[in-house]
Amino acid sequence: MEETTTKTKTKKSDETTPLHVAMFPWLAVGHFIPFLRLATLLARRGHKVSFLSTPGNLSRLPKIPPPLSSLITLVPLPFPETPAAAALPPLAQSSSDVPNRHQQLLKPAFDALLPALRSFLRSSRPDWILYDYASHWLPALAAELRLPRAFLSLFAAAVLSFFGPPAGLASGGRFQSGGDGGGGDLTAVPPWAPAGSGLAFRPHEVARVAERSEARVETAHDTVRFGVSIGESDAVAVRTCEEFEPEWLGLLRELYGGKPVLPVGLLPPMDDEDESDDVESKERWEFMRSWLDGQAAGSVVYVAFGTEVTLTRAELAELALGLDRSGLPFFWVLRRSPGSDRDDGLEGLPSGFLERVKGRGFVHSGWAPQVKILRHESTGGFLTHCGYNSIVEGLSFGRVLITFPVMNDQGINARLLLAKGVAVEVPRDEMDGSFTGDSVAGSVRLAMVDEAGEPARAAAREMKGVFGSKEINDGYVDEFVRYLEEHRKPKFMMN
């Protein structure tokens, strides 16, 4: 009886004690953002979060709201010096600092963070660790330390479904059979997915992924990283919800053979996101807002391609031509190509373009407060590379999407958006990805003003009720927290 009473007391204590969750994202700005959003949501519920990354990456994070600063601890892990890292640009610590063809050079440095991470986990003993796709060695480390671990997928359930069962990925599977960069099965709907779903990459999208093989470095293949990270997790948390892609969540649960698959909601932008105390940033935004204030409601198409995508000079020229010919107001954010001698990203624009669109077009180089721009009432559409962060942010404000996928999961995301009816696609050659200014202009006008585009505009507005719903998304986070609380191990079992 005495032993039973002790166990009961221990369980009750665990249920009432706030969680301590460690978070370890991949070295990419697009991954830090949703990890930090979830960290903030956990902290707002009274739980403690240790957010681990390299010093250079932690310095880029948005400011943590003062009321939560005691609950979210940024834990710096020194960026390792490896032979591959020596070939990176100076001070490069994230994927946005490195050209696509050299992305794999970051992987050995990331893997070399294991000893520092082990030291932290051993001393701090968090209740859970949430980790990203690249740290395939982390589940074994967590098992060694008897720590519960969950793979946090920043990819839609449709993307994970396309990849298939973890065991096939971990063994190399079908995705490495086309190692010549030809694409293989990547350009076909997988046999476990509905044949009419269109869930497949196009050849030009696969070719951009194959560019990474130019960086000759001994490191685990990304599919292996995915397979082991998922397969050896205690649970898989997915950034999605039943209201958006119930069919793909259902398939994912079948493919994962009973492993817990937990939607955590869409992690939409928060009200205080993109706030900055920096005087220069505030002044820059005031200038942007002044221009946006001068445009009609819903008339502006916002154009941005994230932190990693770089376009060729020919692509920039056709895109500029299309925006010019559309006749519509636009706000275009350009980023500098890693390794470029110029820091404004404007070198690829056609001669005379800026003069021709003056007043109607706003072209900005460098970082811009995307959430604020999308939230502004003059913004009506979003010409996007279909990175998942951008999709979530665009649909959170009901903006119709114009898809221009380039690399990574973006092609599958674009197919998903078209199937959901919330987007218009820029037509491109499936083999080489080429397109014309006229195709851009036509797609922009279809999405923004043509009568034939009204169903997509209406569907995007309706989707705001899911992506932008605090009630819906908070409900998923609450359910996820309950799972973490119910499945944490008593501290005496972790010693």
Side-chain angles (χ1 to χ4, degrees), residues 117-128:
L117 183 62
R118 176 190 279 118
S119 177
F120 171 83
L121 295 176
R122 182 176 285 157
S123 62
S124 64
R125 294 286 171 176
D127 295 296
W128 279 87

Side-chain angles (χ1 to χ4, degrees), residues 10 29 68 197 202 213 245 248 306 310 406 413 415 448 479:
T10 301
V29 174
L68 305 180
S197 66
R202 291 176 180 154
S213 63
E245 44 174 356
W248 297 114
T310 54
V406 179
N413 290 339
R415 311 296 101 81
M448 296 292 291
E479 285 294 321

